[in-house]
Amino acid sequence: MSDLEEMGFIASPHTSAGRIPTPLGYRLFVDTLLTVRQPDQQEMSELQGGLMPDQPQRVISHASNLLSQLTQFAGVVVAPRRQQPRIRQIEFLSLSADGDVQNRILFTQHIYTSSELIEAANYLNQHCLGLDFEEVRKRLNDELRQLRGDMTALMTAAMEAGSEAIADTSTQYVISGEKNLLGVHDLSSNMTNLRRLFDLFEKRTGLAHLLELSHRAEGVQVFIGGESGIASLDECSVVTAPYEVDGSIVGTIGVIGPTRMAYERVIPIVDITAKLLSSALSTP
């Protein structure tokens, strides 16, 4: 035991406590001693039944929930990467120092011609420059009644898209089961670290960057403690795997839990979920 402690594989958290593995010790275990345990029949049935081909966003949400339920930790799924669009048009706009641009796609029942779209844009530019969105909305509410039907629908769609842009709170990934971590003694015993962890979940930017690293490697990746490079995760491990759509990697799934987790069980759950999600999202 003393040799293992000297090599940094185990440590005593305080004088009266027994020795426990360090992140270095868990890394040695995962890399050289781990024997994975495949999910049992019930767990496999839950995974297969919950990840049937469906609407992409719904399948992603189901995957996050299943990871959380089966591991009793936090499950996370990064949304699929969007394909790089082809350039269709380039415009240069002069903005003020604090200028902000919001783009939204309008879905309408009527198919508009190029001339109709130009007419609508010219109308808005002529009557709305210099106004904020609420002022534009107030001015157009009365005037929309005087426009012909098709153009009214287009203007209304533009106003609705503007409202969505202002209230947009969309995120890059779906996370489920964060509250499960409150029941993990290794994490809940230190409220300062726990607050930092939940702050990370709320801000999301740092965690999204970590999950993006999974795109650069094949198969399951395990980040133990400080290996993540994120201070809030120093007491945690993150097990991730990339998933595909039609053969191309588009996102990442993962489980976030304490460093003292059942790696032999969590790793195959993450691996199998990634494969099932790939199948559910790919073209039959």
Side-chain angles (χ1 to χ4, degrees), residues 9-284:
F9 294 128
I10 60 175
S12 178
H14 50 82
T15 306
S16 60
R19 296 179 179 88
I20 61 174
T22 63
L24 182 62
Y26 281 119
R27 170 51 62 192
L28 176 66
F29 169 71
V30 169
D31 289 346
T32 63
L33 303 174
L34 179 68
T35 300
V36 299
R37 178 171 68 82
Q38 296 300 317
D40 59 32
Q41 187 59 47
Q42 181 178 349
E43 291 171 335
M44 283 299 301
S45 297
E46 289 184 47
L47 285 170
Q48 293 170 339
L51 295 177
M52 300 296 290
D54 201 340
Q55 297 178 3
Q57 192 60 38
R58 186 179 301 175
V59 175
I60 289 170
S61 179
H62 286 173
S64 177
N65 286 327
L66 285 169
L67 287 171
S68 172
Q69 292 170 11
L70 292 177
T71 64
Q72 287 301 296
F73 299 136
V76 59
V77 180
V78 176
R81 289 179 172 180
R82 296 180 179 178
Q83 294 183 346
Q84 293 295 324
R86 302 285 183 178
I87 294 177
R88 181 175 178 180
Q89 181 177 340
I90 296 177
E91 288 186 57
F92 292 96
L93 301 175
S94 177
L95 301 176
S96 61
D98 60 347
D100 183 29
V101 175
Q102 289 277 355
N103 294 317
R104 285 296 182 273
I105 297 175
L106 307 184
F107 296 96
T108 61
Q109 294 181 348
H110 178 76
I111 298 177
Y112 295 92
T113 65
S114 296
S115 61
E116 287 176 324
L117 295 175
I118 292 173
E119 180 184 350
N122 288 341
Y123 180 88
L124 290 175
N125 285 327
Q126 181 179 354
H127 293 84
C128 303
L129 291 184
L131 304 179
D132 63 31
F133 185 77
E134 290 301 323
E135 291 171 331
V136 172
R137 189 210 303 270
K138 184 176 180 181
R139 172 173 292 187
L140 290 183
N141 275 339
D142 293 332
E143 297 184 11
L144 282 175
R145 299 189 186 94
Q146 302 174 18
L147 298 174
R148 59 191 176 87
D150 290 344
M151 200 56 63
T152 298
L154 179 59
M155 293 295 187
T156 301
M159 294 301 99
E160 291 175 351
S163 297
E164 292 174 1
I166 293 175
D168 189 10
T169 57
S170 60
T171 55
Q172 292 181 324
Y173 60 83
V174 177
I175 185 167
S176 303
E178 307 99 307
K179 292 183 180 179
N180 289 336
L181 301 181
L182 295 173
V184 178
H185 180 267
D186 291 2
L187 301 178
S188 61
S189 59
N190 189 325
M191 292 306 298
T192 299
N193 286 346
L194 194 62
R195 289 192 191 97
R196 291 165 60 193
L197 179 59
F198 275 77
D199 186 55
L200 174 68
F201 292 154
E202 183 177 353
K203 292 183 178 178
R204 297 174 176 253
T205 305
L207 184 57
H209 175 70
L210 172 64
L211 295 172
E212 282 293 317
L213 295 178
S214 182
H215 287 306
R216 306 173 190 173
E218 295 183 3
V220 176
Q221 303 294 306
V222 181
F223 301 89
I224 302 175
E227 293 176 352
S228 67
I230 301 174
S232 304
L233 294 174
D234 281 352
E235 304 298 324
C236 297
S237 287
V238 184
V239 181
T240 70
Y243 67 93
E244 305 176 348
V245 173
D246 297 327
S248 298
I249 293 176
V250 296
T252 307
I253 73 166
V255 166
I256 302 166
T259 54
R260 184 161 51 177
M261 69 165 63
Y263 294 96
E264 71 280 2
R265 180 171 178 274
V266 174
I267 288 174
I269 287 176
V270 171
D271 185 31
I272 292 171
T273 303
K275 292 175 181 175
L276 290 173
L277 183 59
S278 299
S279 177
L281 293 175
S282 296
T283 304

